[in-house]
Structure formats: structure tokens, C-alpha cells
Amino acid sequence: MSVADSTTADLGLPEEKVAELAIDKNDNVEKESDDEDGEEEEEGAGEGEKTQKKKRKNKKKNKKKKKTGLGAAGQTSPPSIPVSQLFPNNSYSVGQICDYVDDNKYRTTSEEMRAKDRLNEQQLVDLRRAAEVHREVRQYARSVIRPGMDLTTIAELIENGTRTLVEERGFESGIGFPTGLSINHCAAHYTPNAGDFVEIKEDDVLKVDFGVHVNGHIIDSAFTMAWNDRYKPLLDAVKDATNTGIREAGIDVRLGDIGAAIQEVMESYEIELDGKVLPIRPIRNLCGHNIGQYLIHSGKSVPIVANRDQTRMEEGELFAIETFGTTGSGYVQEEGVCSHYAKTSDGQPRLPSAKKLLHSITKNFGTLPFCRRYLDRIGEKQYYLGLRHLVDQDIVTAYPPLVDIKGSYTAQAEHTFILRPTVKEVLSRGDDY
């Protein structure tokens, strides 16, 4: 099967999309067939006609074909070729397409909705480019991450790969947020600070959460890795729950209803550890979210348990559905040394060192989240006092690690999708998950 056919099948495109691709291929076959018929006619013609038709045939041969690029199959290992070179003319892969149902079914064929869809073409190009970077970086990362590697090496592997493939250019393209590498009972918001060389162990459960942006349009996707098969039910639970949330999501759908569907699926799983059968619970105070331009959390939260939130999803919104399962209490709290930060207001600090640091944060990250390693990378030194002042003044928000009870294990699965006027597109979907 060709690369294009494989991508279509694996991403679960609807029959209509597959049919469109098939029509294009048939058109090419018909053109080739017409050329062959023309050659047969030439054999029965006179010498003069033969010469003229031969010239015409040669002209057809010399006609340049449109450059389509190698696609993801042309990537190196480790990845080093920017995706814009593999997918020229913005020919990035379309995500998983899900047709709307029930009251929104008309949208799929509505000419009015198609016209609205075309207005967002550049945003879709940006998101698909970021999604392609995410898929290629994570494919390599999943193939090399293993016990014995330290978290700093893993973080730099992912982040340097992202910078290369997206052709990092400040606010034009780059990393969406610091790479989350949370182990076991730590569910989220852990990335190594300088000098942190914690190593993965054979029995660890590792959550890998990273983001890519193009023009501020962020792809946020996460997966969980484990090297002991006993954790498979936990990993399966979050994958199933996330896919359920994506399936239930749509225009005018209530957020609380999505949470109820996710909770029902998550709680249908259990796991046996050390001779004990444990329930798998959703972590009730973690949730998905909508995403704005240069804003990883843009106001709406998608719960992973049932609640009475009547807020609805709306046309054009970009969401990250992420679910967290745990063998612990189902509730996380802040604990440990903080590494994640984001500028969340435009206040003016009083401390001179804080003013200088704020200028650097605004210039390099804007409202995109950052971590201490990123401050080190841009040359900031002795910044902790100024950073602390910015947090105390509510200009920068700190996001410490989030942990369940010690001895428990947590897992995460996450995808980004957009509610287009005509269809729901799961942008970060890939062959892996």
C-alpha cells in the first residue's frame, strides 16, 4: 500500500473521503489509458502523421509533474528534516475526520458550512503542520525511550527534535510548552530542571506530554509508556476514555455530558498489582481544555467525571481531550519543586531584577508556558528571586507537579481536535494512537 493509502486507512477517514481519493486515482489511470490508446492509433497512421504524433507524445513526456514531496516516509532517524520540506506546498496530512451526527449532520454537506470552513484554511494548515511535527518526533521518542535513560536527556531529545522539524522561529513556530515527563504517582507538570538526572526504572509508568505551535496554533498531545506488561490495563483505560471523550465531543455538546461518558468508561477497568485487584479511577480534579492562539488553556475545561457543567462546545473551537487514570485516590495535589510557569497578566513588578526577567519572558515566550531550562537556554542567570517575585505578584503563574498518593500509578492519554463547521478533525491522531 502506498504512503497516502496507508495514512488514509490508519487515520480512519470516512468512506466519502476515501472515495474522493479513489476518484483522483481513477482519473490518473484514465489519463494513462488514453495515452496508450493514442499510441496504438499512431501505429496505423501514415509516416507524416506518425512524426507529428510522436512529437506530441514527446511533449507530454517532457511535461513536469507537480512536486508532492516524500511525506513522513522520507524522514531520517533521528528526525532532522523540517516537515515543510517533506510536505511542500502545505500538503500536510489531514487528521482523522469524524462526521457530525444528529442535529449537526447537515453540516457535512452544507455549502454554507463549506464556505465557512474555507475561511479557516490557514489555521488548519498551521495546525496540521504542528501535528505532523508531533507525530514524527513522538514516533522517534517512543522508539528510543527506555529504562536507564534520564529525564533531561529525554526532554532535550523531544524538544530539539521539535525545534528542528518545526523550524523554530520565536512566535512564528516552536515548542508549545515544556515537555512533561511525569513518573508513577506524579500525574502532570513535571519537567526536569538543570542538574536533574532522574532515571527511568524498569517498573516505572512514564507520561510524556509535549506541544508544538505554528503561529500560536498549538497541538497538545500525550501518551504513557510502561515496560512491565502488568500496567497494560491502566494504559488501555486512559486510551479508551480519551477516545470516548473525542467521540462524544461536538458542536453544542455539554461539557458535563462528556465527563460522564469518560468516567463510565474509565471506571469499567481494573488492574491487578501484587496480588490485589484495584479499581482504575479518573483523576477528578484534572481535565481537558480548549486552546486559544498562544494560550494552552483558553477558558473552558472538559471534565473527566460527571458534573453539572452546562457549558457547550462551539463551532470553530480547538480542544485537547486528556484523561488521567490512577490506581490511587483519584485526586491530585501540588507537591515538589516547580518547573512549569506561564505569564498570565500584564502587571508591573517593583523589583528591578523581576522587571528585567519579565521583559525577557515577554520577548521570548509571551503567553506560552516555559520552564527553568528554557530560561537557562536563553542566557538568563541568577533569576530565581526575580521569578519568585513575578509569581508572588500574580504576573507569572507557577504550575508545580501534580501528584496522587505515593505508591500509586497514573496514566494519561491526550489528543487535540478542532470543531470545523463541516466536520470534527482529530488533528494529532497517528498510527500509534
Side-chain angles (χ1 to χ4, degrees), residues 152 291 361:
T152 297
I291 303 173
I361 290 170

Side-chain angles (χ1 to χ4, degrees), residues 138-170:
R138 78 186 189 223
Q139 180 183 17
Y140 177 70
R142 286 163 68 89
S143 73
V144 299
I145 295 174
R146 59 188 178 276
M149 292 183 71
D150 66 81
L151 297 186
T152 297
T153 298
I154 296 171
E156 290 178 349
L157 177 152
I158 290 171
E159 290 164 356
N160 290 335
T162 298
R163 291 182 179 108
T164 298
L165 268 59
V166 81
E167 299 169 276
E168 184 181 41
R169 291 190 183 93

